[in-house]
């Protein structure tokens, strides 16, 4: 794991620092983030991961970066649980349904979001753990299977 400064803004005695955080795993997976540190508070501004992170992986990511960000902000913590993460293996997600079962799951999530007026693509992303592009691919497969109407169908 590496943490390096992006920039800093000072207002009198108060300083806000933006830090780049990068985790690289032995299997090629990578997570990059931009975090702000100010008066003991940490805010993660942006996270990019390849492959995409599932929501439960974000909590694990927070555990990995907590100690390095605390040190960067001047606060001391115990041992860094993320030490050695650069040589680790990406945590696998739980098995997902595939094929027609997956398409049914996608169609149900998509329709439920539409009915409540929410973003259906975001609902599929949350349900499957895929990135936006992956969710759109799954939605397309569900449409091809006839489980969702064509994008061009009139409402």
């Amino acid at each position: 794991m590496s943490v390096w400064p992006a920039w800093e803004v000072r207002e009198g005695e108060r300083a806000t620092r933006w830090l780049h955080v990068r985790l690289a795993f032995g299997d090629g997976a990578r997570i990059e983030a931009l975090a702000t540190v100010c008066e003991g508070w940490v805010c993660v501004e942006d996270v990019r991961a390849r492959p995409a992170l599932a929501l439960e992986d974000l909590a694990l990511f927070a555990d990995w970066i907590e100690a390095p960000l605390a040190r960067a902000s001047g606060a001391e913590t115990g041992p860094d649980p993320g030490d050695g993460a650069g040589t680790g293996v990406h945590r696998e997600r739980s098995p997902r349904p595939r094929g027609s079962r997956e398409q049914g799951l996608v169609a149900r999530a998509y329709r439920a979001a539409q009915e409540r007026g929410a973003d259906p693509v975001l609902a599929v992303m949350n349900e499957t753990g895929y990135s936006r592009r992956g969710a759109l691919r799954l939605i397309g497969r569900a449409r091809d299977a006839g489980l969702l109407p064509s994008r061009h169908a009139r409402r």
Side-chain angles (χ1 to χ4, degrees):
M1 176 181 342
S2 57
V3 177
W4 68 96
W7 64 89
E8 184 174 313
V9 175
R10 291 196 169 274
E11 294 178 42
E13 294 295 314
R14 183 177 172 194
T16 302
R17 288 186 241 167
W18 281 261
L19 303 164
H20 291 288
V21 179
R22 179 178 293 150
L23 286 91
F25 297 86
D27 64 353
R30 197 172 80 198
I31 304 171
E32 296 181 6
L34 179 65
T36 58
V37 178
C38 180
E39 297 181 343
W41 290 89
V42 174
C43 178
V44 177
E45 300 284 335
D46 185 37
V47 176
R48 294 174 188 226
R50 189 159 309 267
L53 289 174
L55 291 176
E56 58 270 7
D57 292 334
L58 283 175
L60 187 57
F61 174 68
D63 291 341
W64 285 338
I65 67 172
E66 181 180 15
L69 288 176
R71 279 194 302 274
S73 67
E76 282 303 315
T77 63
D80 182 359
D83 282 346
T87 59
V89 175
H90 180 68
R91 186 171 77 105
E92 292 296 320
R93 294 189 187 127
S94 59
R96 288 190 206 107
R98 299 284 182 207
S100 61
R101 289 183 61 209
E102 182 178 53
Q103 292 167 357
L105 174 80
V106 167
R108 282 189 299 280
Y110 189 95
R111 285 195 181 112
Q114 273 186 325
E115 288 172 6
R116 37 175 219 275
D119 181 357
V121 177
L122 185 59
V124 171
M125 289 170 60
N126 289 336
E127 188 69 31
T128 63
Y130 280 105
S131 67
R132 184 169 189 79
R133 181 176 287 170
L136 289 169
R137 204 173 11 251
L138 291 174
I139 292 166
R141 288 182 193 144
R143 282 195 174 111
D144 291 346
L147 300 173
L148 291 172
S150 165
R151 287 186 325 139
H152 305 293
R154 292 186 178 197
R155 295 178 190 222

